Amino acid sequence: MRAAWLAVTLITWPAYAAQPPAGNCNTDAHHQLDFWIGDWSVTHSDGKAAGENRIASVAGGCALYESWAGEGGISGHSLTFYDGLARKWRQHWIDNTGSSLDLAGSKVGNSILLLGETQELSGTVLQRLTLTPAEGGSVRQLWESSADGGKRWKTEFDGRYVRKR
């Protein structure tokens, strides 16, 4: 039985490897967040420098890879992708402090709205991240948290992304 499996695998593998897998990422939904792709200078809402961010399309256009370098020394990375089966955007973030976020969401108006939760000593904290294309090709990223189940939201970060020249 094992020899038969190996023989079938060796015979079919080259044919499979030469073919792109079915269900590629060329749908409109997979590209709703393409406005975020680029090299960015990021400022806080008050205009002070927040950091730099590079967003690149990876995995044949199936995901976006983020590389953040903040003014305060925090750096981090995320992988954001459209899950076609669930019809949701998903983002997995990790930074150099060990903080992580797992978010999921969808397009709302012209924004991508991602939601998740973190566990803290005080209990569950809801996280909300909104990415919105803005005038002149800039992007607004608004990150909010709620420790009371979504009754009140606190702004954690309100950033404006401007393309580097």
Side-chain angles (χ1 to χ4, degrees):
M1 171 102 170
R2 184 177 181 146
W5 175 85
L6 181 58
V8 169
T9 301
L10 291 175
I11 291 168
T12 59
W13 177 253
Y16 171 78
Q19 301 285 329
N24 62 33
C25 302
N26 289 329
T27 70
D28 289 342
H30 284 90
H31 295 281
Q32 292 171 338
L33 199 46
D34 282 1
F35 64 83
W36 197 32
I37 296 172
D39 291 327
W40 304 93
S41 294
V42 184
T43 58
H44 294 281
S45 57
D46 63 6
K48 292 182 182 174
E52 296 182 347
N53 213 353
R54 171 175 276 179
I55 312 299
S57 177
V58 296
C62 290
L64 298 178
Y65 177 74
E66 173 184 17
S67 184
W68 167 258
E71 291 293 318
I74 293 179
S75 62
H77 302 277
S78 75
L79 191 62
T80 305
F81 61 96
Y82 184 75
D83 181 338
L85 291 175
R87 296 184 180 165
K88 289 184 183 232
W89 280 95
R90 298 193 186 280
Q91 183 181 82
H92 303 290
W93 163 267
I94 183 72
D95 66 33
N96 64 338
T97 70
S99 293
S100 65
L101 284 173
D102 287 319
L103 306 166
S106 59
K107 186 173 183 178
V108 177
N110 66 338
S111 300
I112 300 296
L113 176 64
L114 303 170
L115 302 167
E117 56 184 45
T118 54
Q119 297 301 316
E120 300 186 13
L121 292 176
S122 60
T124 300
V125 177
L126 301 178
Q127 306 291 335
R128 179 167 69 187
L129 182 78
T130 308
L131 291 159
T132 307
E135 78 178 55
S138 65
V139 174
R140 180 182 185 205
Q141 178 180 336
L142 179 61
W143 171 26
E144 302 166 288
S145 67
S146 173
D148 61 7
K151 293 176 188 157
R152 291 181 308 248
W153 290 91
K154 173 185 165 193
T155 298
E156 299 292 343
F157 179 74
D158 189 355
R160 180 172 181 247
Y161 284 58
V162 176
R163 287 189 193 279
K164 290 183 177 182
R165 306 264 177 218

